[in-house]
Amino acid sequence: MCGIVGYVGPQSAQNVVVDGLRRLEYRGYDSAGVALVADGKIASAKKEGKLANLEAVLAADPLPTSGTGIGHTRWATHGAPNDVNAHPHLSDSGRVALVHNGIIENFASLRSELEVDGITMTSETDTEVVAHLLGREVDNGADIADALRTVCGRLEGAFTLVAVDAQAPGRVVAARRNSPLVVGLGDGENFLGSDVAAFIEHTRQAVELGQDQMVEITADSWTVTDFAGQPAEATVYHVDWDLSAAQKDGFDWFMRKEIHEQPRALADTLLGRHAEDGSLTLDEIRIPASELRSIQRIVIIGCGTAHYAGMVAKYAIEHWTRIPCEVELASEFRYRDPIVGPQTLVVAISQSGETADTLMAIRYAQEQGSKVLAICNTNGSTIPREADAVIYTHAGPEIGVASTKGFLTQVLACYLLGLYLAQVKNTKFGDEIAAVMAELQTMPDKVQEVLDAQQQVLDLAAEFADNPSVLFLGRHAGYPVALEGALKLKELAYIHAEGFAAGELKHGPIAVIDQDLPVFVVVPPQGRDMLHDKTVSNIQEIRARGAKTIVLAEADDDKVAPYADVMIGLPKVSTLLQPLVATVPLQIFACELATVKGHDVDQPRNLAKSVTVE
Ligand code: AGP
């Protein structure tokens, strides 16, 4: 997610803002900028790349002294990472500067409205649209705070907005919806930050803004209202974290923080991708529908966790589109002289967008005439840049080496692709697609339900900390979940962990079942007896041979409960969508077991976040 800083007080606003942005660097970003109010004007600078690039610009061309300023580190969602798309964005008249974190879902229609009014956009961002709307209000005589309230009433989606008005020195206004913002209360100075890390070195007195709230800060006041301008409740609290803990929002690991960010990551990845009637709009897919209709085969490539996301996708995409779908390890695909061509759509899944095996694979596929669609979490990285089309996940930066929110949003993006192809090829009726989209809209809350019940899994990890081996079983879309659960444990706890298709047990793996061997089993939802009952049989088989069965199943699954030494209840979801909830307890288990073993969860031994060598 982007980093935001605001300041009003006697210090140099530029220094306070830039230092605050540096404290937010851990959030990941690809450009940075500042805007100050000085001498009745907005003075601003912004630059692609790291903060050092911005500081070089500021050194070469210093901004005037000011005690009122805002700043931003951008994690690109709409629009490539470059100088023009960097924040702050100025209004048409140059009187207002704005920074933004989030996604404005209805920015396209607002943009058209402004263009009809003769305003020319300079960037590809949704943020610039808001800057112009805000400037138009202020230019027409509105106070900046009233102008922000008016504009917020027109926005759909998630946003933290922070703005300054050249004619209102000493004031910074901000608003938030589904995106965090905290106020830092100093002595004769006040701060704004996307999290407390931005100002913790200046003050530990903070106020967390609530949903649909606005705040105005001056050097010696702070006022919180709702979007209607009515005074709103806001509680001052003391931040007792150190800077490092503050950067993890109080969690012990970035990975644990990112596990808990998954409901938001799913919601952000869904934002702006469906119309009122439930149909999909994937406007960043730059392959014409006519070409998609001619696709005869899909090959999904990726590595590690991304590969497992592709395996989940196969079940869904084939079911919805009836297009044959193969899933391959990028490192194998690249060197086996695969048969692909113009009728093949190659889907490359990569959180970082820089994985060498996957990059080499898409280059090969394109040489063979295939169109390549990237599913990626890093805007402007190499793989989506070289691909013919992209579906960005909006998980925000994933700092922990072990992928969590990256995986869940990859799976979600694959579902969106499958539904979009079904829509384009008319292999599913509109109401069927709308029904799946409606269920996907409930997934953030369902993942939150799993997170709220995590204590049972945390206790389990402590119990199994000394086990040398753990197995994971699953069927259908639960099979890749078993593989992902095993990979998480390998990566973090450095113990033997293996995932199997439950139906494979009798073909060999059952020989390793031993007394008290922990075996996780992902059980499909009830009602699909063919899958559900056979999985229950598998659990009986391994329990009969002494295994300790940890069963992930629907909470009311009475059929499986008698065979579960431990029952982890899951929310009721469709079989194809179950990976979104079933994976989460396995992430929590691996993270906690590694913590109990004293391992560095965020930087596991021998691993890198992005494998940029083959
Ligand atoms: C996942 O926990 C691992 N860190 C690793 O398997 C990762 O998924 C793989 O290297 C692919 O990375 P990418 O998604 O950035 O391409």
Side-chain angles (χ1 to χ4, degrees):
M1 272 75 84
C2 306
I4 285 181
V5 182
Y7 176 74
V8 184
Q11 298 187 63
S12 153
Q14 176 180 310
N15 293 347
V16 171
V17 166
V18 172
D19 288 347
L21 293 177
R22 184 170 294 104
R23 298 275 178 274
L24 298 176
E25 281 193 294
Y26 73 90
R27 298 167 75 94
Y29 66 103
D30 40 51
S31 60
V34 296
L36 310 175
V37 176
D39 314 323
K41 293 191 182 68
I42 297 288
S44 69
K46 55 186 188 174
K47 195 68 187 162
E48 182 186 350
K50 294 305 175 193
L51 266 182
N53 296 358
L54 174 65
E55 289 177 306
V57 167
L58 292 169
D61 185 6
L63 298 182
T65 306
S66 167
T68 306
I70 59 177
H72 188 266
T73 47
R74 179 176 182 243
W75 171 266
T77 53
H78 289 91
N82 57 34
D83 294 359
V84 171
N85 289 333
H87 301 203
H89 286 280
L90 270 59
S91 61
D92 197 42
S93 63
R95 178 171 163 183
V96 168
L98 173 81
V99 295
H100 163 226
N101 183 10
I103 298 169
I104 305 299
E105 199 166 339
N106 60 330
F107 89 99
S109 58
L110 295 170
R111 181 181 179 132
S112 311
E113 178 193 310
L114 289 164
E115 285 166 343
V116 164
D117 279 358
I119 289 179
T120 308
M121 300 297 145
T122 56
S123 77
E124 308 159 81
T125 66
D126 51 350
T127 309
E128 185 190 352
V129 167
V130 181
H132 291 313
L133 289 173
L134 202 46
R136 193 169 62 175
E137 292 294 324
V138 167
D139 293 345
N140 290 336
D143 172 80
I144 183 71
D146 295 332
L148 185 56
R149 273 189 280 271
T150 303
V151 170
C152 285
R154 302 196 60 197
L155 304 181
E156 294 163 19
F159 53 82
T160 298
L161 302 171
V162 181
V164 288
D165 172 2
Q167 306 306 320
R171 294 171 66 194
V172 177
V173 293
R176 72 161 295 265
R177 173 182 289 161
N178 296 327
S179 177
L181 183 67
V182 280
V183 185
L185 305 178
D187 181 5
E189 58 184 3
N190 286 314
F191 307 78
L192 294 172
S194 28
D195 66 54
V196 297
F199 52 71
I200 198 170
E201 63 182 327
H202 300 285
T203 176
R204 289 176 174 273
Q205 292 297 95
V207 178
E208 180 92 38
L209 273 202
Q211 183 72 332
D212 282 15
Q213 285 189 344
M214 251 197 66
V215 65
E216 174 176 347
I217 62 170
T218 67
D220 47 26
S221 72
W222 55 283
T223 313
V224 177
T225 67
D226 61 20
F227 283 0
Q230 295 306 307
E233 278 298 304
T235 313
V236 179
Y237 68 95
H238 180 78
V239 182
D240 49 17
W241 297 331
D242 63 18
L243 179 60
S244 164
Q247 291 173 333
K248 301 181 189 106
D249 261 357
F251 289 99
D252 51 353
W253 304 111
F254 279 113
M255 180 186 177
R256 206 177 311 262
K257 173 172 177 265
E258 288 151 9
I259 287 171
H260 286 264
E261 285 176 341
Q262 291 182 118
R264 165 83 189 280
L266 292 174
D268 283 354
T269 300
L270 280 167
L271 268 183
R273 288 170 160 165
H274 60 102
E276 282 301 311
D277 62 3
S279 62
L280 281 98
T281 51
L282 294 184
D283 49 18
E284 68 261 58
I285 285 193
R286 298 185 295 273
I287 302 177
S290 55
E291 224 171 297
L292 292 175
R293 272 191 277 278
S294 69
I295 294 297
Q296 301 301 316
R297 189 162 143 263
I298 295 171
V299 175
I300 303 177
I301 56 175
C303 302
T305 288
H307 174 242
Y308 298 145
M311 289 178 69
V312 173
K314 171 186 171 72
Y315 293 97
I317 292 176
E318 286 193 339
H319 180 73
W320 290 329
T321 68
R322 310 316 295 159
I323 301 173
C325 193
E326 295 158 39
V327 188
E328 291 219 38
L329 288 168
S331 53
E332 289 298 310
F333 173 85
R334 167 80 180 80
Y335 294 105
R336 66 168 189 77
D337 193 14
I339 303 161
V340 291
Q343 247 86 50
T344 309
L345 174 66
V346 171
V347 178
I349 303 177
S350 176
Q351 191 282 135
S352 63
E354 300 298 346
T355 300
D357 288 320
T358 309
L359 178 58
M360 293 303 124
I362 69 166
R363 287 178 179 166
Y364 177 88
Q366 286 177 319
E367 286 160 12
Q368 304 304 312
S370 294
K371 282 287 187 328
V372 172
L373 182 147
I375 289 179
C376 185
N377 191 47
T378 309
N379 195 308
S381 55
T382 308
I383 290 171
R385 236 188 9 252
E386 296 197 9
D388 302 286
V390 62
I391 298 178
Y392 279 116
T393 53
H394 293 311
E398 189 174 63
I399 313 294
V401 165
S403 185
T404 51
K405 62 179 184 175
F407 174 73
L408 246 54
T409 52
Q410 286 165 355
V411 170
L412 176 56
C414 289
Y415 291 149
L416 294 174
L417 172 63
L419 291 168
Y420 184 75
L421 290 172
Q423 180 176 286
V424 162
K425 292 179 73 85
N426 293 314
T427 49
K428 281 287 171 192
F429 291 113
D431 59 335
E432 292 175 305
I433 292 170
V436 179
M437 283 303 290
E439 186 176 6
L440 285 175
Q441 296 294 338
T442 69
M443 295 315 286
D445 287 345
K446 288 186 170 151
V447 168
Q448 189 57 54
E449 266 181 60
V450 178
L451 293 171
D452 293 344
Q454 66 168 337
Q455 190 54 49
Q456 176 191 22
V457 180
L458 297 174
D459 298 341
L460 210 53
E463 185 186 335
F464 288 128
D466 300 326
N467 273 80
S469 178
V470 179
L471 300 189
F472 296 79
L473 301 183
R475 268 184 192 270
H476 195 269
Y479 167 37
V481 173
L483 296 173
E484 170 60 8
L487 177 62
K488 287 281 121 5
L489 207 53
K490 278 185 270 218
E491 284 188 284
L492 296 161
Y494 316 152
I495 64 170
H496 171 256
E498 202 161 347
F500 296 106
E504 270 298 285
L505 261 181
K506 295 182 290 299
H507 303 286
I510 200 163
V512 301
I513 301 298
D514 217 337
Q515 190 63 32
D516 295 333
L517 174 69
V519 180
F520 284 80
V521 187
V522 180
V523 179
Q526 303 168 79
R528 291 257 328 225
D529 289 348
M530 174 180 62
L531 283 175
H532 176 272
D533 292 355
K534 288 195 183 308
T535 308
V536 174
S537 307
N538 296 138
I539 296 171
Q540 291 170 308
E541 288 156 15
I542 59 175
R543 192 122 184 282
R545 289 164 176 78
K548 182 144 186 138
T549 55
I550 304 105
V551 173
L552 290 85
E554 289 180 326
D556 63 354
D557 191 338
D558 298 335
K559 254 191 178 178
V560 77
Y563 311 106
D565 290 304
V566 177
M567 178 81 160
I568 298 174
L570 298 176
K572 281 186 175 302
V573 296
S574 306
T575 301
L576 288 172
L577 307 190
Q578 194 187 46
L580 292 180
V581 292
T583 308
V584 177
L586 305 184
Q587 296 168 339
I588 295 168
F589 178 75
C591 178
E592 186 62 15
L593 201 151
T595 303
V596 167
K597 291 169 86 76
H599 293 176
D600 181 341
V601 170
D602 286 332
Q603 302 287 343
R605 69 182 183 192
N606 311 335
L607 293 180
K609 182 58 186 169
S610 177
V611 181
T612 54
V613 290
E614 280 193 284

